[in-house]
Amino acid sequence: MARGRSSGRGQAAVEAVTEQVDGGTAQLVPDRDRSRAWTLLIDDAPQSHVDLDDPSRLSFEYQRRFGHVVDLAAPPGKPLRAVHLGGGALTLARYVAVTRPRSTQQVVERDGALVQLVRRELPLDPRVRIRVRTADAREGLAKVPDGWADLVVADVFSGARTPAHLTSTEFLDEVRRALAPGGIYTANLADGPPLTHLRGQIATAAARFAELALIADPAVLRGKRFGNAVLVASDAPLPLAELTRRAASDPHSGRVLHGRDLTDFTGGAVPVTDLEAVASPAPPADAFR
């Protein structure tokens, strides 16, 4: 483990933490404006941001959109049973725990060294009900009991790419099996022009779920730049009006596609099976500058 330069907050300044994990070089970089807030990077790619003093504060654009989904998944304050595929700094699990006390959560993270780093440097409140399992996301999901989860969140990247086996109809069959009736599946999808991967993922979800929505920066939806889009899927009606309002009021305003607009956006793409699945595209070299 190495500690880098001070964050510039005076005598009590906290230094960055750099450590080799299974997925590459992990860095925990202190937030200059908040004394107990950190950004996690893997091989210089930003993964997540955590404010230990205020876990309800979601700084990253896509995580804030995940937060909207959490907020609207059930009446305010009602506990959820949630499965998180991909742990990162456990940002969203912490958010669920603080906004919905007594929630029961399972986190599946393949990188055991990363889990140890996060637990040591950014410890969880011992009172929260968060179980972290070190396993492949799909293998870990297979161990979730049928119909257990109110919410399944997929935010899995290996080398800044979503692994192929987490992009198929067969993977979504496992998601559906684990979800309770009316439960919600939400996923972080990354793509850039010509958006082939993103369109294919929408077609894949449409083959397994009755209701879909996609939240993204308009520039990403127009194929102007590489970026993240948050997919929301369920067999029950989605809270589209409130989701649209919240996305539009974000600091970086987002657009919600659903219904005919989303079908048109998909542009005739077909569902992806395990046989055809490929990893999501790598971001361009300047994506994180």
Side-chain angles (χ1 to χ4, degrees):
M1 179 180 71
R3 291 186 179 268
R5 295 179 180 177
S6 123
S7 66
R9 288 195 292 262
Q11 293 182 345
V14 180
E15 297 178 331
V17 179
T18 302
E19 189 163 318
Q20 289 301 123
V21 296
D22 300 338
T25 301
Q27 289 181 292
L28 287 171
V29 179
D31 189 322
R32 292 179 179 274
D33 299 318
R34 293 176 178 267
S35 62
R36 298 183 71 229
W38 301 79
T39 298
L40 170 67
L41 300 92
I42 305 290
D43 289 339
D44 296 324
Q47 302 290 318
S48 53
H49 180 278
V50 171
D51 187 340
L52 296 179
D53 287 332
D54 183 9
S56 68
R57 181 175 178 267
L58 300 175
S59 295
F60 282 17
E61 181 180 280
Y62 84 89
Q63 289 181 334
R64 193 158 40 247
R65 288 165 185 164
F66 273 154
H68 298 331
V69 176
V70 170
D71 292 346
L72 299 174
K78 181 180 179 180
L80 291 177
R81 292 182 296 185
V83 176
H84 304 264
L85 305 178
L90 307 177
T91 302
L92 197 67
R94 299 172 200 264
Y95 180 85
V96 173
V98 75
T99 61
R100 296 182 176 276
R102 303 182 308 284
S103 290
T104 303
Q105 303 184 74
Q106 298 186 36
V107 178
V108 184
E109 171 57 59
R110 183 173 185 171
D111 195 327
L114 177 61
V115 171
Q116 292 179 12
L117 171 65
V118 170
R119 281 188 174 279
R120 185 184 70 239
E121 299 291 336
L122 309 176
L124 288 167
D125 184 329
R127 296 169 295 180
V128 301
R129 302 175 183 175
I130 299 175
R131 176 188 178 188
V132 183
R133 175 182 293 154
T134 301
D136 170 80
R138 191 156 157 179
E139 293 175 0
L141 179 63
K143 296 181 180 180
V144 175
D146 293 0
W148 183 84
D150 301 308
L151 176 70
V152 174
V153 181
D155 187 15
V156 184
F157 287 86
S158 176
R161 304 177 70 182
T162 301
H165 68 298
L166 305 181
T167 67
S168 67
T169 51
E170 290 88 344
F171 166 66
L172 291 185
D173 287 337
E174 274 297 309
V175 171
R176 287 202 56 177
R177 180 199 58 75
L179 278 173
I184 292 177
Y185 169 65
T186 186
N188 179 20
L189 308 175
D191 200 7
L195 300 178
T196 303
H197 174 74
L198 183 56
R199 299 182 205 278
Q201 288 302 285
I202 297 167
T204 303
R208 293 296 184 267
F209 291 95
E211 302 290 335
L212 298 180
L214 187 71
I215 316 169
D217 186 303
V220 173
L221 296 175
R222 292 195 300 268
K224 298 296 185 181
R225 68 172 180 85
F226 191 96
N228 298 89
V230 170
L231 174 71
V232 189
S234 180
D235 284 331
L238 296 170
L240 294 170
E242 183 62 15
L243 199 59
T244 300
R245 186 193 69 79
R246 291 185 180 219
S249 64
D250 279 339
H252 297 283
S253 181
R255 182 183 176 193
V256 176
L257 294 183
H258 59 88
R260 180 60 181 271
D261 287 341
L262 188 55
T263 301
D264 291 346
F265 175 82
T266 307
V270 298
V272 176
T273 69
D274 277 345
L275 290 176
E276 302 94 23
V278 296
S280 65
D286 62 351
F288 306 118
R289 292 178 185 172

